[in-house]
Amino acid sequence: MSTKNREHWLAEEQKLAERMQEAMFPGGDKAIQKLAKQGKKLVRQLIEGLIDPGTSFLELGTLAGFGMNYPNVPDVIGGGVVTGIGRIHGNWTMIIGNDSRVKAGAYFPITLKKHLRAQAIAENCGLNCVYIADSAGAFLPMQDQIFPDEGQFGSMFYNMCRMSAEGMKQITLSTGGNTAGGAYIVFLACESVMIDGMSYSFLGGPPLVKAALGEEVTAEDLGGAYVHTHISGGCDHICRNQDEAIARVRDILAHDAPQQVRVDRRRETPPYHPIEGLYDLLPENIYRAIDARAVIAHIADGYPFREYKKDYAPGRGDNIICGKIFLKGIPIGVVASNNSGIIFHESAQKATEFIIRCGKDKTPLLFLQNSPGYMVGTASEHAGIGKYGANMVRAVSNVRVPRIQMVIGPDHGAANYGMCGRAYKPHFLFSTMRARTSVMSGQSAAFVLLTLEQRNRKIRGQEMSREEEEEFRTRMVAKYDGEAHPFYNAARLYTDAVIRFSDIRDVLAAAFEISLLKPIPDTVLGNFHF
């Protein structure tokens, strides 16, 4: 235990708090006052009114959009949209709300990515969706990166159609303008709500109608709330203000059957050690060894940890700890990086076997990632690290139980794959301020790239001075370490959220509960080679 560790991580989480504050208040007081003049609340205030009183909102992707450097728009703060999961009449519901303070709610590539990630989570977990729509539509200077392709603007509506067909309600509350393609977020909804004098929805706005037809018409007469509830039939409910509209959305969802968590849940007990102890336990040095069993004892319920193959291959096999825990009563299998976190062939083999067993008995999986990679070298290659590492990746790819990754340290190379990184479609992926996700560490990248640069210069008959070598090394370390930082990854949505150590237990428990609302299918591993 270390007071120095605690001071370091509290300081790091203060940086997180400051970035979160910046993400939640784009434009500052001026933007808030502008909304107030329009009779509008902040999108998070609308969400607070939408979810059940006294319950929390699991916000996702809050730090998206910083440093994207789009044309004339260096930051799309928060991605211009708020996404997350809250309870409405007791049922977990995905909420996606445009933040009109950010470029009038226009859609940039990162906005689309965040919107589509929220829909993917909703579909994967079987959640109803509520859309709070107030958007200027596609950011036209980047239309070629927003409009035509798969995974772009049309995919939002494709997802709405498919989820609606599968029984997941799509409810839209329009609190502003929805033009062109954006109008479909109103028209495709299972039920939609508009606000008189505030909401507008049309395929072509008044300027386009004037240019195309010479017809002069106001936004209200073209596609206001009265038009679509009384004339066109494009909307289902008209309300006088936002408060009434929020109440109407809640009423629409009031008659849904209660959700069921598809698992035999035990009575919750406190962890053996308070979660706050992680601040002392986790080393300030990202690459220093950790005791995964101690980490688990701060997160899991205070039941005995049923460890798998505890005594197998000491010093190598125990670089991954596997076993079963309860988390707020939910039974969970844990695959956790231990010691240095380097994955040897024995630890990969053990993890693979455990993942398969969890797939067969339908136990959800938590990956506590703190690994710089798989072991390299002649001895490791001859022992079959490639084969056993590939088997671990194959098991992670095919197991059908809910999977969540929590990054608490290095997250490099193929270890990112074997420990269920973003490409392996975990139900949720969370990071802490200790996370470092990249192909390799800054020091390793600097060594490799400096060696290549020296060789290339020799081929050209040149030599690097010591000063040039040091400048090159420093630049590469800064580049790779900067790109591994949780803020960089969160800005690009490589993680669903950066969370405090003290929130790990609550966030994981909520995420697993949400992930277990759908029945777990049978795991079929297919062409599996041991």
Side-chain angles (χ1 to χ4, degrees):
M1 298 293 183
S2 168
T3 303
K4 186 180 179 184
N5 289 341
R6 173 175 288 271
E7 291 173 352
H8 174 78
W9 294 121
L10 289 175
E12 287 294 292
E13 289 187 357
Q14 179 58 35
K15 297 176 186 176
L16 173 61
E18 291 168 1
R19 178 58 61 93
M20 293 284 284
Q21 181 76 3
E22 189 177 356
M24 291 181 176
F25 293 98
D29 290 339
K30 184 177 179 181
I32 295 173
Q33 291 166 6
K34 182 178 178 181
L35 283 179
K37 289 179 181 178
Q38 299 170 350
K40 295 182 179 182
K41 297 182 177 181
L42 304 181
V43 64
R44 287 180 180 84
Q45 291 176 326
L46 296 175
I47 291 170
E48 185 178 351
L50 192 59
I51 64 176
D52 295 344
T55 63
S56 58
F57 179 59
L58 179 59
E59 186 166 338
L60 306 170
T62 311
L63 304 186
F66 285 88
M68 301 306 293
N69 292 318
Y70 295 137
N72 302 316
V73 188
D75 293 316
V76 183
I77 296 176
V81 63
V82 177
T83 63
I85 305 170
R87 291 185 186 273
I88 300 178
H89 296 295
N91 287 337
W92 290 109
T93 306
M94 177 62 74
I95 303 171
I96 302 172
N98 299 120
D99 192 339
S100 61
R101 293 173 296 172
V102 182
K103 289 293 178 181
Y107 274 78
F108 293 79
I110 194 64
T111 319
L112 281 169
K113 187 174 183 179
K114 184 171 175 179
H115 188 121
L116 296 176
R117 172 60 182 159
Q119 286 182 315
I121 291 172
E123 183 172 9
N124 205 21
C125 298
L127 307 179
N128 293 332
C129 293
V130 173
Y131 304 89
I132 301 175
D134 185 1
S135 171
F139 182 63
L140 292 179
M142 300 186 71
Q143 69 83 27
D144 61 323
Q145 300 174 53
I146 297 170
F147 170 70
D149 200 5
E150 179 184 358
Q152 294 183 3
F153 212 75
S155 295
M156 296 190 298
F157 313 124
Y158 173 79
N159 292 340
M160 287 182 74
C161 295
R162 291 179 65 254
M163 283 193 282
S164 177
E166 292 173 14
M168 288 165 269
K169 290 183 178 177
Q170 308 294 295
I171 310 299
T172 295
L173 164 56
S174 175
T175 64
N178 304 105
T179 304
Y184 287 112
I185 208 156
V186 174
F187 301 143
L188 282 174
C190 301
E191 290 191 55
S192 54
V193 179
M194 296 180 74
I195 300 170
D196 194 24
M198 184 182 292
S199 307
Y200 309 96
S201 187
F202 24 60
L203 299 186
L208 183 60
V209 170
K210 171 70 173 176
L213 303 175
E215 180 183 347
E216 293 191 9
V217 62
T218 65
E220 183 69 37
D221 290 338
L222 181 63
Y226 183 89
V227 167
H228 288 310
T229 53
H230 289 71
I231 301 173
S232 77
C235 179
D236 304 291
H237 307 275
I238 185 171
C239 295
R240 291 168 297 177
N241 52 52
Q242 289 187 325
D243 289 339
E244 185 181 314
I246 286 290
R248 185 64 56 87
V249 172
R250 283 185 54 84
D251 183 62
I252 291 169
L253 295 171
H255 302 286
D256 282 14
Q259 293 167 333
Q260 294 182 342
V261 180
R262 312 286 180 150
V263 71
D264 292 328
R265 196 167 189 171
R266 277 198 186 184
R267 179 177 59 85
E268 175 187 346
T269 64
Y272 285 116
H273 304 291
I275 188 71
E276 288 78 10
L278 290 177
Y279 290 96
D280 301 305
L281 180 68
L282 290 169
E284 173 185 349
N285 183 342
I286 303 295
Y287 295 96
R288 186 177 165 188
I290 68 167
D291 180 354
R293 294 182 183 92
V295 173
I296 292 167
H298 286 79
I299 295 173
D301 287 4
Y303 293 101
F305 177 41
R306 294 180 53 213
E307 190 167 341
Y308 178 74
K309 286 194 171 181
K310 178 179 179 180
D311 301 316
Y312 174 58
R316 300 185 306 279
D318 61 355
N319 267 26
I320 287 182
I321 299 297
C322 300
K324 292 187 176 181
I325 65 170
F326 290 92
L327 180 60
K328 294 200 174 183
I330 301 173
I332 290 168
V334 178
V335 180
S337 307
N338 190 42
N339 301 326
S340 67
I342 296 171
I343 304 175
F344 293 85
H345 73 276
E346 294 96 337
S347 41
Q349 183 179 15
K350 179 173 75 172
T352 300
E353 293 174 4
F354 182 72
I355 292 166
I356 292 171
R357 289 176 185 273
C358 288
K360 292 298 184 183
D361 64 20
K362 299 188 177 181
T363 302
L365 282 162
L366 168 63
F367 294 84
L368 283 174
Q369 166 63 330
N370 181 74
S371 175
Y374 287 86
M375 188 61 186
V376 299
T378 304
S380 189
E381 293 292 349
H382 289 186
I385 187 62
K387 171 185 174 182
Y388 292 114
N391 278 344
M392 188 174 167
V393 170
R394 193 190 305 269
V396 167
S397 300
N398 286 288
V399 70
R400 302 292 298 279
V401 301
R403 297 158 301 138
I404 295 177
Q405 188 194 55
M406 171 68 71
V407 187
I408 58 172
D411 178 29
H412 299 316
N416 172 276
Y417 304 159
M419 293 293 284
C420 201
R422 176 60 93 204
Y424 294 83
K425 301 186 185 301
H427 284 59
F428 292 92
L429 194 162
F430 301 111
S431 300
T432 63
M433 287 300 287
R434 196 172 185 270
R436 294 295 184 272
T437 300
S438 63
V439 68
M440 62 181 70
S441 71
Q443 291 290 348
S444 298
F447 177 81
V448 171
L449 294 170
L450 178 58
T451 301
L452 292 173
E453 181 69 13
Q454 289 169 331
R455 187 184 66 181
N456 290 337
R457 291 205 186 189
K458 283 185 178 180
I459 291 172
R460 299 195 300 267
Q462 301 171 347
E463 293 286 342
M464 293 184 77
S465 67
R466 286 188 179 180
E467 290 78 11
E468 287 176 318
E469 289 179 356
E470 186 57 32
E471 187 278 331
F472 185 92
R473 183 183 294 107
T474 300
R475 182 157 43 88
M476 290 301 103
V477 167
K479 171 181 167 60
Y480 279 81
D481 283 351
E483 292 176 357
H485 194 276
F487 286 175
Y488 186 95
N489 282 276
R492 289 151 184 81
L493 292 174
Y494 302 153
T495 182
D496 291 318
V498 182
I499 64 175
R500 302 179 302 176
F501 291 158
S502 57
D503 291 334
I504 288 177
R505 179 173 158 84
D506 290 340
V507 168
L508 286 178
F512 272 112
E513 181 176 317
I514 294 162
S515 301
L516 286 161
L517 296 176
K518 269 189 173 182
I520 300 173
D522 294 332
T523 290
V524 180
L525 290 163
N527 184 26
F528 205 98
H529 301 285
F530 282 105

